[in-house]
């Protein structure tokens, strides 16, 4: 396989992003070269995304059309673009009420090269693919906050994706009968993506997240994935690096928290 940091790795990362966000979005649209807009309808900026895959050296008409599409939805939204282009877009973003909100890391791995943490987890966690999205969402609601209404809205989008025929795999780790961690696995052809990886705050620090990620990578490999992608927060980067993920590039996020 081509070195994960070169060749098709970055286009595949964006292909996986597009596949996942298209599945969970109520509306989505493309504008020009590498400008993709996704409106899930969930009332939080993080889940309504304007992604600039291949941003021009300075903001152009395609980027303006993307912002107009997102603004027209009447919801908070985020703008994401490679960090090395962020300075050229900062003043333009501010003009639309978008302010810097953080940096994430695009990462990828060959699932066959995953690195489980030996001895990090006891035998008490059982990971299963489940259909009950109410159970799946419980650890995520506490891990990411946002309140019960945001959690319900997000679960509804996953229900809609399922009914539309999108084959998202919802994974939950149980300790006895308690759901303690969850994640979503999607497949864009032979490129997998992990999203929604979260553990109950009271259960963090016990290696459950590592066990969940290892299970998801094993499942991705069984389904023929040549690579698995994800977008890591600052806090999550070390966990994924330990599992064997490598950094592709960093992403600057701008957010408008008011519609």
């Amino acid at each position: 396989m081509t070195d994960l940091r070169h060749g098709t790795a970055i286009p595949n990362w964006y292909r996986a992003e597009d596949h996942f966000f298209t599945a969970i979005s109520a509306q989505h649209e493309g504008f020009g070269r590498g400008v993709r807009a996704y409106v899930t309808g969930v009332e939080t900026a993080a889940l309504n995304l304007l992604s600039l895959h291949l941003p021009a050296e300075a903001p152009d008409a395609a980027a303006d059309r993307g912002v107009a599409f997102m603004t027209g939805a009447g919801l908070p939204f985020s703008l994401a673009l490679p960090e090395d282009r962020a300075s050229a877009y900062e003043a333009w973003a501010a003009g639309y009420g978008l302010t810097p909100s953080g940096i994430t890391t695009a990462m990828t791995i060959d699932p066959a090269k995953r690195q489980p943490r030996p001895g990090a987890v006891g035998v008490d966690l059982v990971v299963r693919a489940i259909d009950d999205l109410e159970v799946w969402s419980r650890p995520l609601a506490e891990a990411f906050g946002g309140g019960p209404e945001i959690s319900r809205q997000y679960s509804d989008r996953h229900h809609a994706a399922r009914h539309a025929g999108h084959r998202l795999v919802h994974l939950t780790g149980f300790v006895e009968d308690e759901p303690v961690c969850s994640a979503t696995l999607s497949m864009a052809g032979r490129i997998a993506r992990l999203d929604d990886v979260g553990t109950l705050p009271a259960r963090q620090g016990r290696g459950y997240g590592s066990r969940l990620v290892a299970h998801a990578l094993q499942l991705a490999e069984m389904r023929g994935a040549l690579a698995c992608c994800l977008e890591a927060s600052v806090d999550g980067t070390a966990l994924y690096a330990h599992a064997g993920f490598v950094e592709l590039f960093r992403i600057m996020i701008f957010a408008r928290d008011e519609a």
Side-chain angles (χ1 to χ4, degrees):
M1 182 179 177
T2 302
D3 189 319
L4 291 171
R5 293 164 293 182
H6 302 288
T8 61
I10 291 177
N12 280 340
W13 192 93
Y14 279 119
R15 178 185 173 198
E17 177 190 69
D18 180 65
H19 178 80
F20 174 72
F21 274 97
T22 294
I24 66 168
S25 290
Q27 304 173 62
H28 56 89
E29 189 64 76
F31 302 91
R33 181 172 173 263
V35 178
R36 296 289 300 173
Y38 310 95
V39 176
T40 63
V42 181
E43 295 172 350
T44 182
L47 291 172
N48 299 293
L49 175 67
L50 179 61
S51 177
L52 275 57
H53 298 194
L54 299 167
E57 292 185 4
D60 59 8
D64 286 323
R65 291 197 300 272
V67 172
F69 180 86
M70 299 302 296
T71 300
L75 292 163
F77 70 94
S78 294
L79 165 73
L81 73 161
E83 184 189 23
D84 61 5
R85 286 290 170 86
S87 61
Y89 281 74
E90 191 164 359
W92 171 84
Y96 284 113
L98 290 151
T99 57
S101 68
I103 294 174
T104 60
T105 304
M107 305 185 81
T108 191
I109 189 175
D110 177 345
K113 297 179 180 178
R114 61 188 181 277
Q115 300 291 328
R117 288 176 64 182
V121 184
V123 296
D124 57 336
L125 185 77
V126 177
V127 180
R128 299 198 300 264
I130 64 172
D131 293 326
D132 190 334
L133 296 184
E134 191 278 326
V135 172
W136 165 82
S137 68
R138 287 181 204 168
L140 304 180
E142 291 195 35
F144 298 116
E149 179 59 20
I150 295 298
S151 179
R152 183 196 62 77
Q153 291 174 9
Y154 191 51
S155 292
D156 285 349
R157 291 313 311 157
H158 280 258
H159 275 293
R162 177 179 290 170
H163 291 316
H166 296 287
R167 300 175 65 184
L168 304 180
V169 180
H170 298 95
L171 300 169
T172 297
F174 294 85
V175 175
E176 296 179 347
D177 293 327
E178 181 189 13
V180 301
C181 55
S182 290
T184 304
L185 177 69
S186 56
M187 294 282 294
R190 300 187 72 180
I191 308 301
R193 179 175 162 108
L194 269 178
D195 285 277
D196 310 318
V197 181
T199 302
L200 290 174
R203 296 283 192 166
Q204 292 176 6
R206 304 185 190 186
Y208 293 142
S210 295
R211 174 78 174 272
L212 179 65
V213 169
H215 182 96
L217 290 174
Q218 181 181 35
L219 181 57
E221 182 183 10
M222 291 171 59
R223 295 187 174 206
L226 297 176
C228 184
C229 304
L230 56 77
E231 184 175 350
S233 66
V234 172
D235 292 337
T237 302
L239 166 69
Y240 300 123
H242 196 95
F245 282 83
V246 296
E247 179 180 325
L248 288 174
F249 60 98
R250 294 188 179 184
I251 303 166
M252 185 71 197
I253 308 294
F254 297 85
R256 193 166 83 181
D257 293 321
E258 299 294 332

